[in-house]
Coordinates of all heavy atoms in Angstrom, one line a residue:
Chain A
S277 N 177.0 -98.7 19.6 CA 177.1 -99.9 20.5 C 176.3 -101.1 20.0 O 176.9 -102.2 20.1 CB 176.4 -99.4 21.9 OG 176.3 -100.4 22.7
I280 N 178.5 -102.7 17.2 CA 179.7 -103.2 17.7 C 179.4 -104.5 18.6 O 180.2 -105.4 18.7 CB 180.5 -102.1 18.5 CG1 181.1 -101.2 17.4 CG2 181.6 -102.8 19.4 CD1 182.0 -100.2 17.9
G281 N 178.2 -104.5 19.1 CA 177.8 -105.6 20.1 C 177.1 -106.8 19.4 O 176.8 -107.7 20.1
T282 N 176.8 -106.7 18.1 CA 176.1 -107.9 17.5 C 176.8 -108.3 16.2 O 177.5 -107.6 15.6 CB 174.7 -107.5 17.1 OG1 174.7 -106.3 16.3 CG2 173.7 -107.2 18.3
P283 N 176.7 -109.6 16.0 CA 177.4 -110.1 14.8 C 176.8 -109.6 13.5 O 175.6 -109.5 13.4 CB 177.2 -111.7 14.9 CG 176.7 -111.9 16.3 CD 176.0 -110.7 16.7
F289 N 171.4 -111.6 7.9 CA 170.3 -112.6 7.9 C 168.9 -111.9 8.1 O 167.9 -112.2 7.5 CB 170.5 -113.7 9.0 CG 171.4 -114.7 8.5 CD1 171.9 -115.7 9.5 CD2 172.0 -114.8 7.3 CE1 172.7 -116.7 9.1 CE2 172.9 -115.8 6.9 CZ 173.3 -116.7 7.8
L290 N 168.9 -111.0 9.0 CA 167.7 -110.2 9.3 C 167.2 -109.5 8.0 O 166.0 -109.6 7.7 CB 168.0 -109.1 10.4 CG 166.8 -108.2 10.8 CD1 165.8 -109.0 11.6 CD2 167.3 -107.0 11.6
Y293 N 166.6 -112.7 5.2 CA 165.5 -113.6 5.5 C 164.2 -112.9 6.1 O 163.1 -113.3 5.9 CB 165.9 -114.8 6.5 CG 166.9 -115.7 5.9 CD1 168.2 -115.7 6.4 CD2 166.6 -116.5 4.8 CE1 169.1 -116.6 5.9 CE2 167.5 -117.4 4.3 CZ 168.8 -117.4 4.8 OH 169.8 -118.2 4.4
Y319 N 182.1 -99.0 13.5 CA 183.5 -99.3 13.9 C 184.4 -98.1 13.6 O 185.2 -97.6 14.5 CB 184.1 -100.5 13.2 CG 183.8 -101.7 14.0 CD1 182.7 -102.6 13.8 CD2 184.7 -102.1 15.0 CE1 182.4 -103.6 14.5 CE2 184.4 -103.3 15.8 CZ 183.3 -104.0 15.5 OH 183.0 -105.1 16.3
Q372 N 190.1 -106.0 7.4 CA 189.0 -106.7 7.9 C 187.8 -106.8 7.0 O 187.3 -107.9 6.8 CB 188.6 -106.0 9.2 CG 187.8 -106.9 10.2 CD 188.7 -108.0 10.7 OE1 189.9 -107.7 11.1 NE2 188.3 -109.3 10.8
K375 N 188.4 -109.4 4.3 CA 188.3 -110.8 4.7 C 186.8 -111.0 5.1 O 186.3 -112.1 4.7 CB 189.1 -110.9 6.0 CG 190.6 -110.9 5.7 CD 191.4 -111.4 6.9 CE 191.2 -110.5 8.1 NZ 191.6 -111.2 9.4
D376 N 186.1 -110.0 5.7 CA 184.7 -110.3 6.1 C 183.8 -110.3 4.9 O 182.7 -110.9 5.0 CB 184.3 -109.1 7.0 CG 184.8 -109.3 8.5 OD1 185.3 -110.4 8.7 OD2 184.7 -108.4 9.3
S378 N 183.9 -112.2 2.7 CA 183.6 -113.6 2.4 C 182.4 -114.1 3.0 O 181.8 -115.1 2.5 CB 184.9 -114.5 2.9 OG 185.0 -114.3 4.3
I379 N 181.8 -113.4 4.1 CA 180.6 -114.0 4.7 C 179.4 -113.8 3.9 O 178.3 -114.4 4.1 CB 180.4 -113.5 6.2 CG1 180.0 -112.0 6.1 CG2 181.6 -113.7 7.0 CD1 179.5 -111.5 7.4
F402 N 188.3 -130.7 -1.2 CA 188.0 -129.6 -0.2 C 189.2 -129.0 0.3 O 189.3 -127.7 0.3 CB 187.2 -130.3 0.9 CG 185.8 -130.7 0.5 CD1 185.5 -132.0 0.2 CD2 184.8 -129.7 0.4 CE1 184.2 -132.3 -0.2 CE2 183.5 -130.0 0.0 CZ 183.2 -131.3 -0.3
F403 N 190.2 -129.8 0.8 CA 191.3 -129.1 1.4 C 192.1 -128.2 0.4 O 192.3 -127.1 0.7 CB 192.3 -130.2 2.0 CG 193.4 -129.6 2.7 CD1 193.3 -129.1 4.0 CD2 194.6 -129.4 2.0 CE1 194.4 -128.4 4.6 CE2 195.7 -128.8 2.6 CZ 195.6 -128.3 3.9
Y406 N 190.1 -124.9 -0.4 CA 190.1 -124.0 0.7 C 191.5 -123.4 0.9 O 191.7 -122.2 1.3 CB 189.5 -124.5 2.0 CG 188.0 -124.9 1.8 CD1 187.6 -126.1 2.2 CD2 187.2 -124.0 1.2 CE1 186.2 -126.4 2.1 CE2 185.8 -124.3 1.0 CZ 185.4 -125.5 1.4 OH 184.1 -125.8 1.2
F407 N 192.5 -124.2 0.7 CA 193.9 -123.8 0.9 C 194.2 -122.7 -0.1 O 194.8 -121.6 0.3 CB 194.8 -125.0 0.7 CG 196.3 -124.7 1.0 CD1 196.7 -124.8 2.3 CD2 197.1 -124.3 0.0 CE1 198.1 -124.5 2.6 CE2 198.4 -124.1 0.3 CZ 198.9 -124.1 1.6
Y413 N 193.1 -114.8 -0.5 CA 192.8 -113.7 0.4 C 194.0 -113.2 1.0 O 194.2 -112.0 1.2 CB 191.8 -114.3 1.6 CG 190.4 -114.3 1.1 CD1 189.7 -115.4 0.7 CD2 189.7 -113.1 1.1 CE1 188.4 -115.4 0.3 CE2 188.3 -113.1 0.6 CZ 187.7 -114.3 0.3 OH 186.4 -114.2 -0.1
S418 N 197.7 -108.7 1.5 CA 199.0 -108.2 1.3 C 199.1 -107.0 0.4 O 199.8 -106.0 0.6 CB 200.0 -109.3 0.7 OG 200.0 -110.4 1.6
Chain B
Y136 N 201.1 -113.1 10.7 CA 200.7 -112.4 9.5 C 199.7 -113.3 8.7 O 198.7 -112.8 8.2 CB 201.9 -112.0 8.6 CG 201.6 -111.3 7.3 CD1 201.5 -109.9 7.4 CD2 201.4 -111.8 6.1 CE1 201.1 -109.2 6.3 CE2 201.1 -111.2 5.0 CZ 201.0 -109.8 5.1 OH 200.6 -109.1 3.9
R139 N 196.4 -113.6 10.4 CA 195.6 -112.3 10.3 C 195.1 -112.0 8.9 O 194.3 -111.1 8.7 CB 196.4 -111.2 10.9 CG 196.7 -111.4 12.4 CD 196.9 -110.0 13.1 NE 197.9 -109.2 12.4 CZ 198.1 -108.0 12.7 NH1 197.3 -107.4 13.6 NH2 199.0 -107.3 12.1
P142 N 190.4 -115.1 6.1 CA 189.1 -115.0 6.6 C 188.8 -116.2 7.6 O 189.2 -117.3 7.2 CB 188.2 -115.0 5.5 CG 189.0 -114.6 4.3 CD 190.4 -115.1 4.6
F148 N 186.4 -123.7 7.1 CA 186.0 -124.6 6.1 C 187.2 -125.5 5.8 O 187.1 -126.7 5.6 CB 185.5 -123.9 4.9 CG 184.1 -123.6 5.0 CD1 183.5 -123.2 6.2 CD2 183.2 -123.6 3.9 CE1 182.1 -122.8 6.2 CE2 181.9 -123.3 3.9 CZ 181.4 -122.9 5.1
M149 N 188.4 -124.9 5.8 CA 189.6 -125.7 5.5 C 189.8 -126.7 6.5 O 190.2 -127.9 6.2 CB 190.9 -124.7 5.4 CG 192.1 -125.4 4.9 SD 193.2 -124.1 4.2 CE 194.3 -123.9 5.6
F152 N 186.0 -129.1 6.7 CA 185.7 -129.9 5.5 C 187.0 -130.3 4.8 O 186.9 -131.3 4.0 CB 184.8 -129.0 4.5 CG 183.5 -128.6 5.1 CD1 183.3 -127.2 5.5 CD2 182.5 -129.5 5.4 CE1 182.1 -126.8 6.0 CE2 181.3 -129.1 5.9 CZ 181.1 -127.8 6.3
G153 N 188.1 -129.6 4.9 CA 189.3 -129.9 4.2 C 190.1 -131.0 4.8 O 190.5 -131.9 4.1
Y178 N 195.8 -112.1 16.7 CA 195.4 -110.8 17.0 C 195.8 -110.4 18.4 O 196.4 -109.4 18.7 CB 194.0 -110.4 16.8 CG 193.6 -110.2 15.3 CD1 193.1 -111.1 14.5 CD2 193.8 -108.9 14.8 CE1 192.7 -110.9 13.2 CE2 193.5 -108.7 13.5 CZ 193.0 -109.6 12.7 OH 192.6 -109.4 11.4
K234 N 181.3 -112.4 18.3 CA 180.6 -112.0 17.1 C 180.9 -112.9 15.9 O 180.1 -112.9 15.0 CB 180.9 -110.5 16.8 CG 180.3 -109.7 17.8 CD 180.2 -108.2 17.4 CE 181.6 -107.8 17.0 NZ 181.5 -106.5 16.3
Y235 N 182.0 -113.6 16.0 CA 182.3 -114.6 14.9 C 181.7 -115.9 15.3 O 181.8 -116.9 14.4 CB 183.8 -114.7 14.6 CG 184.3 -113.5 13.7 CD1 185.1 -112.5 14.2 CD2 183.9 -113.4 12.4 CE1 185.6 -111.5 13.5 CE2 184.3 -112.4 11.6 CZ 185.2 -111.4 12.2 OH 185.6 -110.4 11.4
F238 N 179.5 -118.4 13.1 CA 180.0 -119.3 12.1 C 179.9 -120.8 12.5 O 179.9 -121.7 11.6 CB 181.5 -119.0 11.8 CG 181.7 -117.7 11.1 CD1 183.0 -117.2 10.9 CD2 180.6 -116.9 10.6 CE1 183.2 -116.0 10.3 CE2 180.8 -115.7 10.0 CZ 182.1 -115.2 9.8
Y240 N 177.5 -122.3 13.3 CA 176.3 -123.0 12.7 C 176.6 -123.7 11.4 O 176.1 -124.8 11.0 CB 175.1 -122.0 12.5 CG 175.1 -121.4 11.1 CD1 174.5 -122.0 10.0 CD2 175.6 -120.1 10.9 CE1 174.4 -121.5 8.8 CE2 175.5 -119.5 9.6 CZ 174.9 -120.2 8.5 OH 174.9 -119.7 7.3
S261 N 160.7 -114.7 10.2 CA 162.2 -114.5 10.2 C 162.5 -113.1 10.8 O 163.5 -113.0 11.5 CB 162.7 -114.5 8.8 OG 162.3 -115.7 8.2
L262 N 161.7 -112.1 10.5 CA 162.0 -110.7 11.0 C 162.1 -110.8 12.6 O 163.1 -110.3 13.1 CB 160.9 -109.7 10.5 CG 161.3 -108.3 10.5 CD1 162.5 -108.0 9.6 CD2 160.1 -107.4 10.2
T266 N 165.6 -110.5 14.8 CA 165.6 -109.5 15.8 C 165.9 -110.0 17.2 O 166.8 -109.4 17.9 CB 164.3 -108.7 15.8 OG1 164.0 -108.3 14.5 CG2 164.4 -107.4 16.7
G269 N 169.6 -111.0 17.4 CA 170.4 -109.8 17.6 C 170.3 -109.3 19.0 O 171.4 -109.0 19.6
Y272 N 172.5 -111.6 21.3 CA 173.9 -111.3 21.1 C 174.3 -110.0 21.8 O 175.3 -109.9 22.5 CB 174.4 -111.3 19.6 CG 174.6 -112.7 19.1 CD1 173.7 -113.2 18.1 CD2 175.7 -113.5 19.5 CE1 173.9 -114.4 17.6 CE2 175.8 -114.7 18.9 CZ 175.0 -115.2 18.0 OH 175.1 -116.4 17.5
F273 N 173.4 -109.1 21.7 CA 173.7 -107.7 22.3 C 173.7 -107.9 23.8 O 174.6 -107.3 24.5 CB 172.7 -106.7 21.8 CG 173.1 -105.3 22.3 CD1 174.2 -104.7 21.7 CD2 172.3 -104.6 23.2 CE1 174.5 -103.4 22.1 CE2 172.7 -103.3 23.6 CZ 173.8 -102.7 23.1
Y276 N 176.9 -109.3 24.8 CA 178.0 -108.3 24.7 C 178.0 -107.4 25.9 O 179.0 -107.2 26.5 CB 177.7 -107.4 23.4 CG 178.5 -106.2 23.3 CD1 179.9 -106.2 23.2 CD2 177.8 -104.9 23.3 CE1 180.6 -105.0 23.0 CE2 178.5 -103.7 23.2 CZ 179.9 -103.8 23.0 OH 180.5 -102.6 23.0
R277 N 176.8 -107.0 26.3 CA 176.7 -106.1 27.5 C 177.2 -106.9 28.8 O 177.8 -106.4 29.7 CB 175.3 -105.6 27.7 CG 174.7 -104.9 26.6 CD 175.5 -103.6 26.3 NE 175.6 -102.7 27.3 CZ 176.0 -101.4 27.2 NH1 176.3 -101.0 26.0 NH2 176.1 -100.6 28.2

Side-chain angles (χ1 to χ4, degrees):
Chain A
S277 173
I280 286 185
T282 54
F289 280 174
L290 179 71
Y293 296 113
Y319 269 93
Q372 203 67 42
K375 293 192 297 165
D376 282 350
S378 60
I379 71 173
F402 288 101
F403 182 80
Y406 295 131
F407 187 84
Y413 277 102
S418 301
Chain B
Y136 184 84
R139 297 205 307 166
F148 277 35
M149 189 158 98
F152 299 109
Y178 277 99
K234 292 197 304 172
Y235 282 111
F238 291 172
Y240 94 81
S261 305
L262 199 63
T266 306
Y272 279 110
F273 189 67
Y276 167 65
R277 302 302 298 195

